[in-house]
Amino acid sequence: MDLQKAFDTVNHDILLYKLHCYGVRGINHEWFRSYLYNRKQYTYQAGCSSTLSNIDCGVPQGSVLGPLLFLIYINDICNAVPDDDIFLFADDSNLFIRGKSKIEVMERANLGLSNLNEWFLANKLSLSLDKICYTVFPANKRDGIYISLGQTDLKHVHSCKYLGITIDADLKWIDHVNSVYKKLIKYVGIFYKLRKILPIYCLKSLYFAFVHSHLLYGVEIYGNACSKHLDKLVKLNNKILRILQNVNIRTHVTDLYTHYCTLPIPILHELQLASIVHKFYRHLDILPDIFRNYFTRNTMIHHHNTRQHTDLHINRVHSSKGQKSFKYKGCSIWNGLPDSLKESRSVKGFRYGLKMYLLGKFVQSKQN
């Protein structure tokens, strides 16, 4: 869901009332009132200025307080749909509905959307109906589900972007891989020209700033895609490394990654999963709540002093899809690590040691 001019339509009276409810009172409350009221604006163009106009609503965009005040303004939106999950990122709202049947999902979605719309109207905000869309998981359950708001039927899409990750209804991550591929392919021609005029260390910095950052973001998720879907992105990454390192096509791929001390996408996926498991063991306080009880240690199953008593318990799975699940894959990767790595307490030290370990295994596998 997307709001129309969200920051510009925040009602000052409602915002001040909510600040008072959250405990901002007295002098502090008057300070916010002074900050919001009696603001004026005008337009200047080609030496001519318009008359001053009062700003009756909205929070200043581009300011430090603007986003914070907006988040306070919409903080109680979850009360509109107490039985469903709603996640907010600035003015973008995402409602997640689950159910045992199509009818249940459709009824809950329509009811939840109607309740949210009433909340938006009560807070003098309005939805952009042409930008609202929905996706059904899995895709083969799409038939028979229709979601509308008032007299407007909402648009069904096969995939949508959520926090920079393109999620498709089949959860195959093909659309996200294609999206990243399109972002990176444009650098090929640019890097061909830059490698002739920039020093080696600058080219390496360009790779990690403009290529590796895109590959690393969300690789915990899309790195689980089928190898045939990832192949084009893996090959593009290899090509970019060859261009920046100015080596010929016959240079072994292991040399490309060793020179830049980085990893191919499938192994980056393993690195990220193992890092999350390490935080589960050593830094539970910095993990999202969903992972606090996500894994089970063998010591919680039995108290026998076996060689695997410090490992994670792996539930038996009978399908390839189950073997790709984060719980199964993360446990398998962690249990296969050397004890010297598992005992590392520093997040930074663990990641560096693990990267060197995985890079060594990658080189060895290619040599064999």
Side-chain angles (χ1 to χ4, degrees):
M1 296 168 287
D2 188 73
L3 295 173
Q4 296 180 4
K5 298 185 178 296
F7 280 68
D8 295 331
T9 54
V10 171
N11 183 275
H12 292 166
D13 292 333
I14 296 176
L15 175 58
L16 288 171
Y17 172 76
K18 291 186 178 185
L19 284 169
H20 184 271
C21 292
Y22 288 133
V24 180
R25 299 167 187 171
I27 295 176
N28 295 328
H29 193 268
E30 291 303 313
W31 186 91
F32 277 105
R33 181 185 296 276
S34 175
Y35 177 77
L36 293 169
Y37 280 91
N38 297 320
R39 302 183 73 93
K40 300 181 183 297
Q41 64 182 5
Y42 72 96
T43 303
Y44 178 85
Q45 175 66 28
C48 298
S49 301
S50 67
T51 56
L52 281 173
S53 299
N54 289 322
I55 302 176
D56 299 324
C57 59
V59 291
Q61 296 192 48
S63 64
V64 175
L65 276 178
L68 177 61
L69 292 175
F70 181 78
L71 292 176
I72 292 173
Y73 192 78
I74 64 171
N75 187 58
D76 61 319
I77 190 175
C78 57
N79 295 330
V81 281
D83 298 326
D84 297 312
D85 297 325
I86 184 167
F87 295 93
L88 309 172
F89 186 76
D91 58 335
D92 288 324
S93 307
N94 297 269
L95 181 63
F96 291 86
I97 305 290
R98 64 178 69 87
K100 296 181 179 180
S101 66
K102 294 180 181 180
I103 295 177
E104 180 188 355
V105 169
M106 185 170 65
E107 289 178 350
R108 289 183 60 181
N110 282 297
L111 177 61
L113 195 60
S114 176
N115 291 338
L116 281 173
N117 189 52
E118 289 183 12
W119 184 93
F120 285 128
L121 293 175
N123 287 270
K124 301 187 184 299
L125 300 170
S126 57
L127 288 166
S128 299
L129 294 181
D130 56 330
K131 293 184 179 180
I132 302 179
C133 59
Y134 69 95
T135 305
V136 180
F137 304 94
N140 59 9
K141 301 293 184 181
R142 158 73 181 95
D143 294 339
I145 295 181
Y146 302 96
I147 301 176
S148 60
L149 184 58
Q151 302 298 318
T152 304
D153 292 330
L154 302 184
K155 179 172 61 176
H156 171 262
V157 294
H158 179 263
S159 64
C160 60
K161 185 169 286 190
Y162 178 59
L163 297 181
I165 303 292
T166 305
I167 307 176
D168 60 276
D170 297 312
L171 298 179
K172 293 183 177 179
W173 311 109
I174 301 174
D175 293 340
H176 182 75
V177 170
N178 291 336
S179 175
V180 177
Y181 183 88
K182 290 178 182 178
K183 289 179 182 177
L184 299 185
I185 192 68
K186 63 184 179 184
Y187 292 118
V188 170
I190 298 173
F191 288 158
Y192 266 122
K193 297 176 182 178
L194 290 179
R195 73 177 183 179
K196 299 177 181 178
I197 58 177
L198 292 179
I200 296 174
Y201 74 92
C202 282
L203 294 174
K204 184 176 181 180
S205 296
L206 285 176
Y207 172 79
F208 282 98
F210 294 100
V211 179
H212 188 265
S213 58
H214 285 298
L215 297 176
L216 188 63
Y217 182 73
V219 73
E220 304 95 326
I221 301 172
Y222 82 84
N224 219 7
C226 180
S227 57
K228 69 178 181 180
H229 300 322
L230 275 178
D231 187 58
K232 61 186 293 187
L233 196 56
V234 172
K235 289 180 178 178
L236 177 61
N237 190 34
N238 295 344
K239 181 176 183 178
I240 290 174
L241 286 170
R242 281 197 174 90
I243 294 170
L244 291 173
Q245 296 177 28
N246 200 10
V247 294
N248 60 50
I249 193 67
R250 295 179 181 176
T251 302
H252 202 284
V253 68
T254 55
D255 296 334
L256 301 176
Y257 289 96
T258 302
H259 189 222
Y260 271 19
C261 193
T262 186
L263 299 168
I265 296 170
I267 305 180
L268 272 178
H269 171 68
E270 295 182 11
L271 173 69
Q272 293 298 95
L273 294 188
S275 298
I276 294 175
V277 180
H278 176 260
K279 292 175 183 175
F280 171 80
Y281 262 93
R282 307 298 183 192
H283 301 278
L284 199 59
D285 56 309
I286 62 177
L287 268 182
D289 290 341
I290 192 173
F291 293 119
R292 297 293 173 87
N293 300 304
Y294 198 72
F295 303 103
T296 304
R297 307 187 192 199
N298 280 339
T299 52
M300 300 174 66
I301 304 297
H302 62 78
H303 300 286
H304 306 298
N305 191 21
T306 63
R307 285 180 296 177
Q308 291 82 29
H309 77 282
T310 58
D311 288 345
L312 292 174
H313 179 71
I314 302 179
N315 293 317
R316 185 176 299 176
V317 296
H318 302 283
S319 66
S320 58
K321 184 179 290 186
Q323 292 175 355
K324 282 189 171 184
S325 68
F326 175 36
K327 182 173 288 189
Y328 182 89
K329 203 169 185 179
C331 292
S332 299
I333 294 170
W334 177 263
N335 291 349
L337 295 179
D339 291 338
S340 57
L341 273 176
K342 297 179 185 178
E343 292 169 0
S344 176
R345 295 192 171 274
S346 166
V347 174
K348 186 176 180 180
F350 173 79
R351 283 185 64 86
Y352 178 78
L354 180 59
K355 182 196 285 188
M356 294 298 101
Y357 171 76
L358 293 174
L359 185 58
K361 283 187 64 177
F362 170 64
V363 173
Q364 187 179 9
S365 67
K366 293 297 182 181
Q367 289 174 348
N368 295 336

Short mmCIF file of all heavy atoms in Angstrom, two decimals, residues 26 70 121 262 265 294:
data_model
loop_
_atom_site.label_atom_id
_atom_site.label_comp_id
_atom_site.label_asym_id
_atom_site.label_seq_id
_atom_site.Cartn_x
_atom_site.Cartn_y
_atom_site.Cartn_z
N GLY A 26 4.06 19.12 28.44
CA GLY A 26 4.68 20.28 29.04
C GLY A 26 5.50 21.09 28.04
O GLY A 26 5.08 21.32 26.89
N PHE A 70 6.73 11.48 11.40
CA PHE A 70 5.80 10.69 10.58
C PHE A 70 5.63 9.29 11.15
O PHE A 70 4.52 8.74 11.19
CB PHE A 70 6.30 10.63 9.14
CG PHE A 70 5.38 9.85 8.24
CD1 PHE A 70 4.21 10.42 7.76
CD2 PHE A 70 5.66 8.54 7.89
CE1 PHE A 70 3.34 9.70 6.94
CE2 PHE A 70 4.81 7.82 7.08
CZ PHE A 70 3.65 8.40 6.60
N LEU A 121 -8.30 7.37 6.69
CA LEU A 121 -9.21 8.50 6.55
C LEU A 121 -9.37 9.25 7.88
O LEU A 121 -9.43 10.48 7.90
CB LEU A 121 -10.58 8.01 6.06
CG LEU A 121 -10.62 7.43 4.63
CD1 LEU A 121 -12.00 6.88 4.32
CD2 LEU A 121 -10.23 8.51 3.62
N THR A 262 37.07 -12.16 -2.31
CA THR A 262 35.62 -12.21 -2.24
C THR A 262 35.15 -13.60 -2.65
O THR A 262 35.98 -14.47 -2.94
CB THR A 262 34.99 -11.13 -3.14
OG1 THR A 262 33.58 -11.10 -2.94
CG2 THR A 262 35.30 -11.37 -4.61
N ILE A 265 28.55 -15.94 -5.67
CA ILE A 265 27.23 -15.71 -5.07
C ILE A 265 26.73 -16.89 -4.25
O ILE A 265 26.27 -16.69 -3.11
CB ILE A 265 26.22 -15.33 -6.17
CG1 ILE A 265 26.63 -14.00 -6.81
CG2 ILE A 265 24.81 -15.23 -5.60
CD1 ILE A 265 25.84 -13.63 -8.04
N TYR A 294 14.81 -19.87 16.94
CA TYR A 294 14.66 -20.47 15.61
C TYR A 294 15.37 -21.81 15.51
O TYR A 294 14.89 -22.73 14.87
CB TYR A 294 15.21 -19.50 14.57
CG TYR A 294 14.74 -19.78 13.17
CD1 TYR A 294 13.42 -19.52 12.79
CD2 TYR A 294 15.60 -20.30 12.22
CE1 TYR A 294 12.99 -19.77 11.49
CE2 TYR A 294 15.18 -20.56 10.93
CZ TYR A 294 13.88 -20.28 10.57
OH TYR A 294 13.45 -20.54 9.30
#
